[in-house]
Amino acid sequence: MRPLADTLRPQKLDDVVGQKHLIGNGKIIRNLVNNGKLFSMVLYGPCGTGKTTLAYAIVNELGLKYEFLNAVINSKKDLDEVISKAKDNDGLVLIMDEIHRLNKDKQDLLLPYLENGIITLIGLTTANPYHSINPAIRSRCQLFEVKLLSLGDIIMALKNATSSLKNIKISDESINYIASLAGGDLRYAYNFLEVAYYASDDHNITLDILKTINNKPSLYIDKNDDGYYDVISALQKSIRGSDVNASLHYLARLLVAEDLDIIFRRLSVIAYEDIGLANPAIGPRLEAAIKAAERVGLPEARIPLGEIVVDMALSPKSNSSYMALSSAINDVEMGNVGKVPNHLKTNSKDYKYPHNYKGSFVKQQYLPDNLIGRKYYTPKLTSKYEMNLKTIYDKINSNL
């Protein structure tokens, strides 16, 4: 009852799908294997791209003894047993899945044996190792990115897989459909193919059968992994960069994942961080779009959200207020505060009420003594609105 993806797992580098930047002729992992030398490493990348497969292919080709552990499931006792085997066998390879979830006790136990070479580690993770893996582990490993497979890679692998399924009937159109939904995830593609094979009466996999099983693509935006935050980050950076097409693309990915909450929160940040005073009306317009999206729900929520994202991407941009407040907060955090001037304190009789003066302006000190002359706000002349604010700002400063 082993899954198709497991039964098809390659045993040699030549049979591994994709990853030519690592295992192609003259590339680093290929050369390590050819030279019979293995160093501790971490293979990181999205789900279903072949990290485990690559690890097994490496140890198999080198003929090395190895053990497989999962940092979440396996206990400290399991790691102790692996270390004992490594000592008895003068070293072995430890393939550690979910390496970014290895707790401190296990790390402390493992580190000395990585240091003396009794254990050679191949860590596997979907997380960014530069952010998620303990520096002590990371410094003892080489880091290699395992990339999403291309559409062509998935199609080729699926065609090869059909030979292992007895009496299967499947058209190129159906194979292409599976590959297009896989999103670079070969495990997903194999699982989809296997379900379709057993879901049909005579193993005839038609496009209609595939669509009844699934018509949504596999999206790498798991909330527990970096890919999710990468999509959110890309949405903000695309709107900030005024690329309306990229903005709509990343919005679409979040909509297909049906994550309205993160869309609402991130667009609200963008409206005030990146557009700000260049177009202050965007805030109320965004709030109206969010309310409309909440009221109608999915799938229609995409309509007001698509409109507001186009508006935000093409809007003039200004981060002047965001930067001004960041500068002020930095002063406070550094202890550069000073006492509130006496005439601004509660119920002070020396306070001058601006509305009692011409133009609602009166010259008086507002900043603490040690911050007199401090300027946080620097206008950006990206819109008529902020140009008008600059005029007022300059006039007030000229009277101080």
Side-chain angles (χ1 to χ4, degrees), residues 53-102:
T53 295
L54 189 53
Y56 280 135
I58 291 169
V59 294
N60 286 333
E61 288 225 7
L62 290 173
L64 298 173
K65 295 178 180 178
Y66 69 90
E67 293 289 332
F68 185 94
L69 294 181
N70 184 296
V72 177
I73 298 170
N74 292 107
S75 65
K76 189 176 177 182
K77 180 182 176 182
D78 296 325
L79 186 55
D80 275 326
E81 291 177 359
V82 169
I83 291 170
S84 179
K85 288 181 182 178
K87 291 176 179 177
D88 293 341
N89 291 283
D90 195 27
L92 60 70
V93 177
L94 171 60
I95 301 173
M96 175 72 76
D97 201 8
E98 304 283 351
I99 183 70
H100 64 288
R101 299 188 187 276
L102 194 67

Side-chain angles (χ1 to χ4, degrees), residues 5 8-24 30 46-55 57 145-161 179 182 184-187 189-190:
L8 294 176
R9 192 183 301 279
Q11 299 299 309
K12 300 185 299 181
L13 289 182
D14 286 342
D15 296 329
V16 173
V17 178
Q19 313 313 328
K20 298 306 179 187
H21 64 295
L22 296 177
I23 61 173
R30 173 71 66 175
C47 299
T49 50
K51 298 182 292 296
T52 305
T53 295
L54 189 53
E145 182 180 7
V146 179
K147 299 180 179 179
L148 282 169
L149 300 178
S150 70
L151 182 65
D153 288 334
I154 301 288
I155 290 172
M156 179 186 69
L158 286 171
K159 288 182 176 180
N160 291 337
D185 182 338
L186 184 56
R187 185 189 299 112
Y190 281 155

Side-chain angles (χ1 to χ4, degrees), residues 239-240 242 269-280 282 312 315-324 377-387 389:
I239 293 175
R240 180 188 295 152
S242 301
V269 170
I270 298 167
Y272 292 96
E273 178 184 343
D274 296 305
I275 297 173
L277 293 173
N279 183 5
I282 204 71
M312 293 173 73
S315 171
K317 310 294 191 300
S318 174
N319 68 344
S320 58
S321 59
Y322 169 76
M323 295 302 294
Y377 174 61
T378 301
K380 277 196 170 184
L381 306 182
T382 55
S383 69
K384 289 182 179 179
Y385 184 87
E386 198 160 8
M387 288 174 67
L389 290 184

